[in-house]
Amino acid sequence: MDAAALRSLQAPIKERYKSDPNAALITLKAKGSIDNEGIACKVETGRALAVAGLHPATGGSGLELCSGDMLLEALVACAGVTLKSVATAIEVPLRQGLVFAEGDLDFRGTLGVDKEAPVGFAEIRLRFEVATDAPQDKLDLLLKLTERYCVVYQTIKNGPKVSVTMKRI
């Protein structure tokens, strides 16, 4: 695909977002399961090979993963593994566990339709659903420690220093 083809593909989408800003507001979602015996989290990606591409809201086919989906999937994976690890360490038996992440995007920002619209997630929500007989104080501790030790969650929450470079090859 060249620049002209991309512009042609995105032009009607951009026009739609200009005339109907609410159409650009989309919530991406990811889900994982920690039902297995090991300290792991199964993330539902729907694809065996991760090929990233444009989200359909920006002209993508929907056949490739959107990087926003991948970010939420990384959060779900890390949070699920951390939850399972912490639950094991503090002896909270989990019969079943689900991890959900949702993130709200306004695609007008990433497409340059509205310079005031943010580029990136405006809000991300992480939720756990667990089947356990553990008392509430143990669940509160489990949540607190999972938040504290989840690398991806802490990275998103604290916004580390980031740099970008480009090198000709």
Side-chain angles (χ1 to χ4, degrees):
M1 179 178 294
D2 62 16
L6 180 61
R7 280 192 294 277
S8 175
L9 181 67
Q10 290 182 339
I13 297 168
K14 289 181 176 187
E15 284 304 315
R16 179 172 176 229
Y17 294 166
K18 283 179 185 174
S19 64
D20 182 8
N22 287 332
L25 304 176
I26 295 175
T27 299
L28 303 181
K29 299 179 181 186
K31 179 182 175 184
S33 170
I34 55 171
D35 296 340
N36 60 12
E37 293 297 316
I39 295 177
C41 181
K42 180 181 177 186
V43 179
E44 299 173 15
T45 65
R47 296 163 183 87
L49 176 67
V51 177
L54 292 173
H55 188 277
T58 63
S61 67
L63 298 176
E64 299 89 13
L65 288 169
C66 161
S67 54
D69 290 324
M70 294 171 80
L71 177 68
L72 295 178
E73 290 164 359
L75 176 59
V76 163
C78 188
V81 168
T82 305
L83 179 78
K84 187 74 183 264
S85 178
V86 170
T88 302
I90 66 171
E91 299 179 323
V92 172
L94 299 177
R95 290 187 305 280
Q96 181 182 13
L98 298 172
V99 186
F100 302 90
E102 297 181 347
D104 302 327
L105 287 169
D106 183 340
F107 281 99
R108 292 175 303 155
T110 194
L111 285 174
V113 171
D114 182 343
K115 300 296 184 204
E116 301 300 315
V119 177
F121 286 101
E123 184 177 340
I124 294 176
R125 294 168 300 282
L126 180 62
R127 183 178 85 246
F128 301 98
E129 293 180 5
V130 295
T132 182
D133 294 325
Q136 188 61 47
D137 64 322
K138 285 284 244 187
L139 290 180
D140 293 342
L141 179 61
L142 176 59
L143 181 60
K144 177 182 172 184
L145 294 176
T146 298
E147 280 185 63
R148 180 183 299 159
Y149 297 117
C150 178
V151 171
V152 175
Y153 173 81
Q154 287 297 327
T155 301
I156 292 169
K157 181 181 174 195
N158 294 314
K161 180 180 176 184
V162 178
S163 63
V164 178
T165 62
M166 183 179 295
K167 178 180 177 182
R168 185 179 306 275
I169 56 170

